[in-house]
Structures are given as C-alpha cells and as structure tokens.
Amino acid sequence: MKIKTYKKIIHDSLAWIIAFIWIIPFLGLLMAAIRPMDELLHGWWNLETLNLTFKNFIGAWNHSNVPLGQGTVNSLLIAVPATVIPVLIATMTGYGFSRYRFPAKRSIYILIILMLALPQQMIAVPIFGIMNKLGLINNYFGLIIVHTAWGLPWITFFMRNFFTTLPVEVEEAARIDGASDVRIFFNIALPIATPAIVSAASLQFTMVWSDFFLALILMYSPEKLLATQRIPLMRGVYFVDWGLLAAASILLMLVPILVYTFLQKYYVKGMIGWSSK
Amino acid sequence: MFKKFTLILVLSVLLISLVSVFGFAEKLTLIGPWAGAEQAGFMPVLEAFTEKTGIDVEYKVYRFEDLVTMLPAQFAAKKTPGDVIFMSGTEWMVKNAKHLADLSDVINEGDFVPGTLVSKVDGKLLAGTFTGKIKPGFWYSKSFFSKNGLTVPQTWDELVTLLQKIKMIPGIEAPIASGDGTGWPLSDVTEHFLVSFGGPDLQKDLIAGNIKWESNIVKGVFEKLVFLLKSGYFSEPAEWTTILKQWEKGEYALYFMGSWITGMVGNPDDLGVFSLPGCEGMVFGPDYFNVPIYSKNIEDTKKLAAFLSGKEGQTVSASLGGHIATNLGVPVEVYPTVDRGVAELLKGVQSLPDLDDTVGGEFQPAFWDQLKLLWVKPNRLDDVLKVLDEKMP
Amino acid sequence: MHRKATFTHLAIFILPALLLICVFVFYPCLRTISLSFFSEGKFSLHNYYEVLKSRDTINLEGFSKGFPLGTLLHNLLWITIHLPLTIFLGLFLAVYLKNVKGGSIIKSIIFLGMVMPMITGGVLIRFIFDKNIGIVNEFLKLFGFIPKTWTAYPETALFSLIFGSVWLWAGFSMILYSAGLETIPKDLYEAAQIDGASSMKMFFKITIPLLKPITIVVVTMTLLWELKIFDIVYVATMGGPGSASNVLALQMYTYAFKALNFGKSSVVAVFLAVIALAVSIPMARSAGERR
C-alpha cells in the first residue's frame, strides 16, 4: 500500500514539474512585460531587483503607430462575423449532406474534403486579384468573405459527421406530422446540434483571430491592421522594445485563451471530433 | 409623424454627405513612413504650413512596402490615397512616371545641394526633395574616449589599433555595436565601407548595376570589413534600439548610425562622430515625395510641395534636430549644436543616395538578409556576393 | 435513409456554401495552377524548371558549406524532427498524466501552445533563444555551452524554430491521445493483467494498436501543419539569416509579393498543395472506412 502511495506522489510531482517546465517560456514573456528593460538585459530569472510595472501593457495598447487596442477591435470586427456566418451556413450544408441524396453528391463531398488539406498559399494570389477587382482590398468585408469561404469546407465536414450520428426517427416523426423540412431543421436538428455548433464556432473563432497570412495580403492601412499584424511591426521596423513586444503578445493571446478557458469542453471536443468520427 | 421623421432623416443624411464631400475638401492628405518619435519630428512642419496658408493637412502613416503593393491598383483606378506621398526608390518613380505630376513649376533646381534633386524624367521633375538624414560614421561618447585615452583614427592602421585597444577595456563586450533593425544599420555600415574604400563612384556604379558585387574592387572592400568581423571587433547583430541602450551604458564603444541618433540619446552633447579614414562621400538620404496627378486639389497640393521643398518647410524640420536640409537657403544657425557638426561633415564630401533604398524591390530584403549572414559567418563572403549579384534587378 | 433532395432543398441547404466555396476557394486554386504554367504569356514549364533548380528550393552546396539547404529540404528536416517528437511526446504525456491529481490543469498548460496565435509563438521562440534574455541559453550554460542567439546564426536558426514548434504543438497530440486513451475499455487491461501481462506488454500490445486511428490523425494533421509553417518563421527570422530558415510557405509569399513573380509563387503553392493532398490520403481513407 505505502509503496504505491509513494510511487504516486513521485509520479504526480514529476508531472507538475513537467508542467512547470512547460510554462517557463510564458513566465519569461510575462516577466519581460512587467519589468523594466534594464532588469531584463541579463536574464529575467534574476529576481534581485523587482520593479513591477504595467506601463508596457498600456504602451502596447496605445502604441503610437500600431496600437493593440485598435487592433483588437479590428480583429473582433473580422472574427465575429467570420465565425457566425460560416458556422450557420456550414451547419445547414452539413445537414444537407447528411440527410439528402442528390446528383454528384459524392463527388462534391470529396472535393470539399480535398480542400481541407490545402494551404492558404494556394488561393493567395488569385484572391488578391479577385478582391482587387471587387474593390475589396483593405476592406473588412473582403477579408470576412475569404475567411468564411475558407472555413466552410471544414465546418461542413465537421457538422455533417455530427448529423450522421443523429437518429432520423425524430425528424421522420415530425415530417409525418406535416412539418416542412426547413422547419424540421430549425426546430429539431439545430437545437440538438448546439454543442457541436459551439465546438465548431470556438475553433473557427480561434483560427480567424490567429490568422496572419490572409490579413497580411488583404489589409494594409495602418488603422485597419488586425491585432496579429501589429506584432511583427512592433519588432524591428520602428522603435522596438522587448517589454512592449512581450506585453503586446500577451494581450493578443488573451482572447483565444479566454475562449479556450470558458469553452474548453467544446473546444477539445471539436479537436477530437477529427479523430473519433 | 412618420413622414416627418423620414424627412428629417433623409435631410440629415444628405447634409452629412454634402459636408463630408465638400466641407472637408480643403483638407490635403500627406502620406509618410514616420511614426512615433520620428513623426514628432515632422508634424511641426505641417503645422507651420497650415499656419501660413490656412490649408489643413492630414497625416497618414504607410510603410513603403505597403505603398508598393497598394498604389498600382489605385493609380489604375485613377485614384490616390494621398495628395503628397513620401516614397522611396528612383526605380519606382521611373516606373510610375505617367501617374506623377511635374513639379518644375514650384521647385527651383538651383536651390538645392547638388545631387539631391532627382533626375528629370522626360524633362519633368517628378519628385520633390525634403530634408534628409546623413549616415556619417561611427558615433562615440566623447567622455568615454577621453576617460580611456582614445583618439579619433586618421588612417586604417590607426583604426585597427583603436579597435584593439577598445577590445581590451573591461566591461566592453565588443568595440563596435552591430545594430539590426530589419537588416539596417548593417547595410549602412557596409555602404560606408564601400564608399570609403571604393570611392563614391563605386556606390553609384553598384546602384546602376554597372559593377558586379563579385568584382575584385568590391570584394577587396568587403575583405576589409570581413577582417574586422573575423577579429571580433563587431558584436553579434542585435535589436538596434536595445543595443543602443547597451552602447550608452558603455558595453560598446562605437556605433554606426545615422544622424537621427542625436534625438535618441540622453546626452547628445557628449556625442562625437568620425568617418572611416579617406572617406570622400557620405550617404545622405533625403526624403523624397511625389504628387500623383489624381490628387483632387492639385493647386493646394503644389503649394504644400513648394513649402516642403522650400526654405520654410526645411528650416522647421532642421531646427527640430536629426535632419539635414537639402535646400541651400536654410541657414546653418537653425540647427541644434550637434547637428551643426553633422551638417559641417557633409561639406566637402559627395552626397550619395542610400544603396538598398534606391535599388529596392527583391534586392533590399535579400541584401539585409545576406548581411545578417555575413556578420555571423564572415568566411562565407563569396556566397554572399554571389547571391547579391543574383538578386540585383 | 437518405431522401431525394428537391430543388428547394438544394437551394437552401447546399447552394450557398457551394457557391462561396466555388468562387473563393475552388476557382482561385484552379487559377493558381494555371498561373504556374504560364511564363511570359505562353504556356510552358519554365516556372517549374526555375523553381526546382533554384538554390532557394534545393541547395546541395549547403551540405558542405552549411545552411541554407533550400526550402524543400528545410521543410523535410522540420518534418523529420518534429513529427516523431510530437507523436512520442504526445503519447508519453497522455499516458503519464492520465491519473495525475490536477492532471487536467497540467494538460491545459501544455495545450496553451496550441491556443495562441502562431505569431506570438514565433515571438516566444525568438525570445527564448536570445543570447541575453533567452532561457534556453541559460540552461545550456549549465552544460558549458557559450550563449548565442540561435535565431541569428545559419546553423542553428532552423533548429531553434523546429524545437520551439515542438513545444508549441505537443499539446495537440497529447489531447488527442488523451481522448483516445479514454475510449480503450478498461476490461481489456484487466483481462491482460489476469493473464500476467506486464505494463510494457500491455502498452505495446493493447494501447498502441488501439490508438492507431488516432495516430493516423495526429500524423496527418501534424504533417499538414509542418508543411504550412509561415507565421513563426516570418516573425522570428524572416527566413534568415541568408535564407537559412526559409520555408516553402514563406518562399511562396516572397516570390508573389516581394518579387511580384506570380508564376514562381504559384509553382511553390502547387507543390505545397500536392504534398498536402498526398499526405491526407491515409486519413481520408480511414474516415471513408468508417462511413
């Protein structure tokens, strides 16, 4: 008995040490953000002088040329629509694929699945051209459309897999009672699908928020830049400062981390959805 | 009631649109790359213009690389995001000549330091010249030098001896601090070597593509640089503002930087600067601006152009420190003390354009990237020169 | 089971997504493919030839002179190091943390690397490998190594990015394996124990085989991630010094938006897409099997 308990204590302690090792880089980042530069010049792990300050966070938020506050607002303006719209549309599409038969269904579905593997580089140049012709370069609407279109394949795949696990009996019963298909979708299927929808939404939101490449191509006005774009600009081109950069990085991370913290169950289920379906 | 409401709503919308179209039509837009502290050194110029003419100017920040992506589409649609745009690279100007306005009627050639006005394209002056920044040489702390008994070197041998001496001083990490922004100031130091040991014409020939990077002349100059790199006289490239702090603290003795450094240190009066021995040219990077022909208010824009290039605008800029005027009419008294010294340095040497800014395109980031490599691997000089030749347009 | 769809059904459920995907994803893909085959206005394989023989892509001299080795080899190297480490780390962590007190908190900490934007991942990597303020150097000093900024030197730049990315991505495989471990019925282990099997044997004969479908997913998703690396490199080294840490995705971007050579950039994009598709086949097959 005792040996087992000892073993367990050692095992658990080692596990926590692993966790500590894992979190060290974050600690370093935090230190850089809350301590003045002079203290950091030769290692943030030196804790002799500890003058904590929040001025880097304020500086990053109100930075004179790439304020993260403005960037955060911009990113939200993109991420929210670019989550809601594709999730709504793709849920319907996923439902359609799981319930109906139609010509070329299999081929279309395979095509959609193929797109899941594609890198964004594959559409970058033509998208730039299309958006240019539509006058949507440097326009949030354009970026939202691209993110929406890009998110549709994977969310469709995801929701379709979910709906196939849903027994059709309830829907059938409703149909016999005379309900139309659309009604069945909105009143029966959709409510049951809520957990899956939340999963998909949390993943899509995080992906759009974290996006850098598409924003890099389509957005360039200083005041319109998204939060992710402002980070590299704080380094190297203008006055750079590890403290500011660290604070800005932390601010940028906060949003997806908050999403993860509050929606963890759904988030993780979403990722796992890839494997158990 | 509903009808009244709709009427008011429609009228207000109309009013707002009218105001936004006509009410602010007087405002000009100027696009520049400066932000933060550098912007503070520019805004007073615009304010002086507004005071003089009553015309408002809105300032917007855009980086050159973003402008290069954005402008072609705008110009093709006969639009422009700014009435005055600060842009870099003569190659760009020549390529876009048909979209730019001729400024010969408001800018007089004779008013400027020779070599600082852009060459005319088909007889038209397509860019105006503003003030600029010089990259004179290695900056040092006068008190540091006198404390350690160091003197400014006049020959190559004296320079090497100086560096050897500095290396021995306790607390010194490396004699010369290597700043790394996105690759400059490494490129600035390199150009200084090329100009000092290859001559001003070498710089011009390299820009024009008349000489290859792999040629013996260029290689010879680089070998001097490589010698210093291999001897450990340069530090590892580090973020240029972080290393500035370390330089101020005495961890490095020399720092090659542009004249804007005077505005960034705590004690500018302690600053001294020297160029490499035998240097007959100096990279003087004036800021150039263009006026696209699609500007909605060409009249007022030309007034702004004249002001910026003219004595008045340049005087304001020079007086703020860190900028050197290209307009000959700016008296030397307006400069703050330390800049006066820098302005003096410019006399008697040829003013040259910045190499990588002028060539631009794919070459510039490759130039920066290759120099970062050279700094940590000086024995790869041959590969570096080969790549530079490949990436020249 | 499946009802035949009427036109209205299609219009409401299928068409909107199909339209958006066709216009903004499918068509651009076709266009990129076609761009890769056009050089100076004519149909030709010139772009492919140029990219393949370019030292940007494959630099055999690098084997004697040192990095760069070319983007293709860089990505390959990334895969070679990152993939096995990810699988082993993920599996190990999932198993080790299975019944630990507060294990879910530990797992969340490890998973944080996945949740944050890769741009900040790149900043973190640059930071921890810095000469003065980087924790890795401090640690290596204990073993007598002389500190230097890993990302500034061609021989270590790519490696610093790769190892940093292992730290970032490990949470992904760990979470997937954790979930997988939960699905293995306990009775299997109990029965094996009764038969006298050691934990090692149980691990290799029960756990690993039953985790195979998950392993396929982990391998596929990790491979796709390794191919598409962009943000991290962009902010930490911009592919340097001297292209020593350049990757395919960044090469595509430089060709397209710095050199304005759309033919070559499309070739790189097509490479990436083809490899990505090839890599996804096992997972697609596996998913198809379970329909």
Side-chain angles (χ1 to χ4, degrees):
Chain A
M1 256 295 131
K2 265 217 173 143
I3 303 179
K4 253 200 166 164
T5 333
Y6 272 136
K7 261 184 148 182
K8 179 143 175 60
I9 293 182
I10 297 180
H11 185 111
D12 285 14
S13 315
L14 278 177
W16 277 97
I17 293 181
I18 292 179
F20 180 70
I21 295 179
W22 224 266
I23 214 177
I24 289 182
F26 287 106
L27 264 182
L29 200 67
L30 188 64
M31 286 278 167
I34 57 178
R35 290 169 70 184
M37 193 47 177
D38 309 316
E39 286 182 17
L40 301 169
L41 273 177
H42 291 288
W44 56 263
W45 42 89
N46 295 322
L47 297 172
E48 295 122 22
T49 48
L50 209 61
N51 293 313
L52 301 182
T53 163
F54 277 111
K55 85 170 163 83
N56 282 321
F57 285 100
I58 302 178
W61 193 261
N62 296 325
H63 198 270
S64 52
N65 51 301
V66 279
L68 211 63
Q70 188 182 48
T72 307
V73 170
N74 296 345
S75 287
L76 281 172
L77 281 175
I78 299 275
V80 171
T83 300
V84 171
I85 301 178
V87 168
L88 279 177
I89 299 181
T91 305
M92 295 177 57
T93 317
Y95 181 77
F97 271 103
S98 76
R99 295 290 184 253
Y100 298 114
R101 260 189 357 254
F102 48 87
K105 170 176 164 184
R106 193 179 154 84
S107 326
I108 298 180
Y109 193 62
I110 291 183
L111 226 58
I112 292 185
I113 296 193
L114 285 181
M115 285 178 204
L116 298 178
L118 290 180
Q120 285 176 333
Q121 281 73 26
M122 210 35 196
I123 63 167
V125 169
I127 279 289
F128 183 80
I130 295 177
M131 288 303 162
N132 207 4
K133 286 213 183 82
L134 294 174
L136 289 176
I137 295 272
N138 206 30
N139 184 319
Y140 287 158
F141 197 51
L143 191 54
I144 293 177
I145 294 182
V146 180
H147 275 299
T148 299
W150 190 252
L152 285 173
W154 84 261
I155 307 180
T156 304
F157 175 73
F158 186 76
M159 295 309 292
R160 179 252 176 209
N161 284 345
F162 171 78
F163 281 121
T164 48
T165 67
L166 224 54
V168 290
E169 282 76 36
V170 186
E171 296 162 50
E172 290 291 324
R175 191 164 301 118
I176 292 173
D177 283 345
S180 75
D181 287 282
V182 177
R183 266 193 121 205
I184 294 179
F185 174 73
F186 278 104
N187 291 357
I188 300 181
L190 206 52
I192 302 187
T194 313
I197 292 181
V198 176
S199 290
S202 54
L203 284 176
Q204 172 74 352
F205 181 84
T206 308
M207 288 202 287
V208 176
W209 178 272
S210 308
D211 167 70
F212 175 70
F213 186 69
L214 289 178
L216 183 66
I217 297 181
L218 295 176
M219 291 287 153
Y220 51 72
S221 268
E223 67 274 6
K224 290 190 184 173
L225 292 179
L226 302 193
T228 36
Q229 289 174 284
R230 297 175 184 235
I231 300 285
L233 288 181
M234 286 191 182
R235 187 212 158 210
V237 183
Y238 300 125
F239 201 84
V240 79
D241 180 339
W242 272 118
L244 265 185
L245 190 57
S249 303
I250 294 180
L251 288 172
L252 182 67
M253 283 196 269
L254 268 180
V255 172
I257 289 182
L258 279 173
V259 170
Y260 172 67
T261 314
F262 287 114
L263 297 176
Q264 185 172 28
K265 202 173 56 156
Y266 299 102
Y267 195 101
V268 171
K269 276 227 171 92
M271 300 220 88
I272 296 174
W274 285 108
S275 59
S276 43
K277 294 284 191 281
Chain B
M1 200 47 215
F2 180 67
K3 282 208 176 124
K4 252 201 209 163
F5 177 76
T6 335
L7 191 61
I8 298 180
L9 190 63
V10 169
L11 277 177
S12 357
V13 169
L14 266 174
L15 193 64
I16 295 176
S17 12
L18 279 174
V19 167
S20 58
V21 169
F22 294 107
F24 302 129
E26 296 250 343
K27 213 177 199 185
L28 296 178
T29 312
L30 183 144
I31 292 182
W34 315 291
E38 293 180 310
Q39 188 180 340
F42 181 69
M43 296 307 280
V45 178
L46 296 180
E47 285 157 24
F49 175 73
T50 307
E51 241 198 78
K52 175 174 173 210
T53 59
I55 305 173
D56 266 325
V57 185
E58 190 192 340
Y59 175 73
K60 285 195 187 167
V61 179
Y62 279 84
R63 298 176 306 164
F64 295 140
E65 37 188 279
D66 296 325
L67 286 173
V68 166
T69 327
M70 176 220 321
L71 289 176
Q74 294 258 328
F75 286 167
K78 299 215 184 340
K79 291 198 291 184
T80 174
D83 300 295
V84 172
I85 304 183
F86 274 83
M87 237 338 235
S88 102
T90 35
E91 194 192 327
W92 181 89
M93 183 185 78
V94 170
K95 251 197 345 209
N96 288 278
K98 61 180 183 214
H99 303 292
L100 305 173
D102 183 9
L103 301 171
S104 340
D105 48 342
V106 286
I107 294 182
N108 188 356
E109 244 185 287
D111 291 340
F112 294 86
V113 172
T116 51
L117 262 190
V118 296
S119 341
K120 294 200 174 175
V121 177
D122 295 329
K124 292 198 255 179
L125 182 64
L126 298 175
T129 313
F130 187 53
T131 54
K133 301 166 178 123
I134 310 185
K135 299 170 197 177
F138 295 95
W139 296 80
Y140 60 94
S141 153
K142 290 196 270 211
S143 54
F144 181 87
F145 263 42
S146 54
K147 192 171 90 171
N148 288 289
L150 306 168
T151 49
V152 174
Q154 307 292 339
T155 66
W156 171 255
D157 290 323
E158 282 180 34
L159 174 66
V160 180
T161 321
L162 172 69
L163 293 173
Q164 268 171 340
K165 243 179 134 183
I166 296 179
K167 202 169 177 204
M168 306 294 218
I169 300 177
I172 283 279
E173 286 246 5
I176 310 176
S178 305
D180 175 16
T182 35
W184 61 270
L186 297 184
S187 56
D188 297 334
V189 176
T190 310
E191 286 180 48
H192 189 59
F193 269 76
L194 286 168
V195 170
S196 304
F197 300 118
D201 288 329
L202 181 60
Q203 167 98 331
K204 292 195 237 180
D205 279 328
L206 277 170
I207 293 178
N210 298 336
I211 289 192
K212 284 203 163 285
W213 290 89
E214 286 174 289
S215 64
N216 287 329
I217 309 183
V218 177
K219 202 166 168 199
V221 173
F222 267 92
E223 271 163 9
K224 284 195 147 78
L225 176 62
V226 166
F227 167 69
L228 295 182
L229 284 168
K230 283 188 180 167
S231 312
Y233 294 133
F234 277 94
S235 78
E236 194 184 85
E239 309 285 357
W240 74 273
T241 45
T242 316
I243 213 176
L244 178 70
K245 289 205 175 79
Q246 291 173 299
W247 171 69
E248 280 188 274
K249 278 193 170 175
E251 292 180 37
Y252 303 97
L254 304 174
Y255 195 19
F256 188 94
M257 192 36 74
S259 49
W260 58 83
I261 202 179
T262 58
M264 292 179 72
V265 294
N267 190 2
D269 292 324
D270 188 36
L271 284 180
V273 59
F274 67 85
S275 317
L276 281 173
C279 183
E280 284 174 15
M282 208 164 277
V283 173
F284 179 24
D287 290 307
Y288 295 103
F289 59 86
N290 310 100
V291 174
I293 57 180
Y294 313 111
S295 160
K296 290 210 165 70
N297 194 343
I298 280 276
E299 282 277 321
D300 287 343
T301 307
K302 283 205 171 169
K303 285 192 197 149
L304 179 56
F307 184 82
L308 289 170
S309 272
K311 188 172 110 157
E312 296 155 304
Q314 295 215 9
T315 304
V316 177
S317 173
S319 63
L320 295 167
H323 289 80
I324 306 296
T326 52
N327 192 307
L328 295 165
V330 176
V332 76
E333 294 82 43
V334 309
Y335 291 108
T337 343
V338 82
D339 294 284
R340 218 169 293 178
V342 176
E344 294 291 325
L345 280 174
L346 191 56
K347 300 200 171 122
V349 294
Q350 260 196 64
S351 121
L352 299 163
D354 181 288
L355 194 150
D356 48 274
D357 276 343
T358 315
V359 178
E362 200 191 352
F363 177 77
Q364 190 176 41
F367 188 53
W368 290 338
D369 192 39
Q370 289 300 314
L371 287 180
K372 283 194 226 191
L373 176 64
L374 187 67
W375 241 254
V376 295
K377 293 268 167 250
N379 53 328
R380 302 243 276 198
L381 177 61
D382 292 327
D383 291 332
V384 168
L385 292 176
K386 196 157 151 203
V387 174
L388 289 181
D389 269 326
E390 275 173 22
K391 298 284 179 183
M392 281 295 279
Chain C
M1 173 71 178
H2 282 141
R3 302 177 56 235
K4 189 156 169 66
T6 65
F7 190 67
T8 339
H9 288 150
L10 287 179
I12 299 177
F13 288 103
I14 307 289
L15 235 44
L18 212 55
L19 234 65
L20 282 170
I21 293 180
C22 276
V23 173
F24 293 104
V25 181
F26 193 54
Y27 167 70
C29 283
L30 295 177
R31 181 106 178 91
T32 300
I33 298 177
S34 85
L35 271 175
S36 71
F37 287 110
F38 272 87
S39 171
E40 304 189 357
K42 291 177 292 177
F43 183 88
S44 90
L45 288 174
H46 183 67
N47 293 322
Y48 281 89
Y49 175 65
E50 271 214 38
V51 171
L52 276 172
K53 84 164 172 125
S54 162
R55 287 191 313 155
D56 293 335
T57 317
I58 302 185
N59 181 20
L60 294 172
E61 283 179 1
F63 285 106
S64 47
K65 290 198 190 164
F67 278 91
L69 300 172
T71 53
L72 199 59
L73 294 175
H74 289 171
N75 277 93
L76 232 72
L77 191 58
W78 203 304
I79 294 176
T80 320
I81 299 180
H82 183 260
L83 185 60
L85 277 176
T86 301
I87 298 178
F88 293 137
L89 259 182
L91 190 54
F92 168 74
L93 288 170
V95 170
Y96 199 74
L97 298 175
K98 191 148 187 280
N99 293 312
V100 169
K101 204 156 185 205
S104 54
I105 299 182
I106 302 181
K107 287 187 197 168
S108 295
I109 291 178
I110 298 179
F111 193 65
L112 274 182
M114 277 293 302
V115 172
M116 68 169 148
M118 281 303 122
I119 274 281
T120 36
V123 169
L124 263 171
I125 294 181
R126 169 73 185 79
F127 182 61
I128 61 180
F129 283 103
D130 185 83
K131 173 165 149 184
N132 294 322
I133 56 181
I135 193 80
V136 173
N137 280 310
E138 193 65 18
F139 179 68
L140 290 177
K141 265 204 254 185
L142 296 174
F143 296 98
F145 280 92
I146 304 176
K148 66 178 191 183
T149 301
W150 285 48
T151 47
Y153 289 82
E155 64 273 11
T156 47
L158 189 64
F159 290 113
S160 61
L161 296 178
I162 296 179
F163 288 122
S165 74
V166 170
W167 173 76
L168 287 171
W169 185 256
F172 175 74
S173 67
M174 178 196 71
I175 288 281
L176 252 56
Y177 276 128
S178 278
L181 285 176
E182 301 283 321
T183 65
I184 299 180
K186 287 217 173 93
D187 350 352
L188 283 177
Y189 290 119
E190 282 168 13
Q193 258 179 341
I194 293 178
D195 283 346
S198 71
S199 13
M200 268 291 124
K201 232 177 166 198
M202 286 199 289
F203 183 70
F204 282 103
K205 288 265 153 94
I206 301 179
T207 317
I208 296 201
L210 283 178
L211 287 177
K212 180 163 155 211
I214 297 197
T215 305
I216 295 182
V217 175
V218 171
V219 168
T220 311
M221 299 301 288
T222 307
L223 277 173
L224 288 176
W225 192 72
E226 287 153 354
L227 284 173
K228 302 181 194 177
I229 293 271
F230 180 83
D231 304 10
I232 295 178
V233 183
Y234 186 94
V235 77
T237 60
M238 199 59 179
S243 302
S245 60
N246 205 5
V247 287
L248 289 167
L250 187 58
Q251 180 188 24
M252 180 270 166
Y253 174 76
T254 311
Y255 280 162
F257 296 98
K258 298 277 176 196
L260 299 175
N261 187 329
F262 298 126
K264 280 165 69 169
S265 75
S266 303
V267 169
V268 180
V270 170
F271 272 168
L272 271 176
V274 167
I275 302 177
L277 285 171
V279 153
S280 313
I281 293 180
M283 190 165 97
R285 256 206 220 131
S286 172
E289 275 165 21
R290 272 185 261 109
R291 281 259 226 98

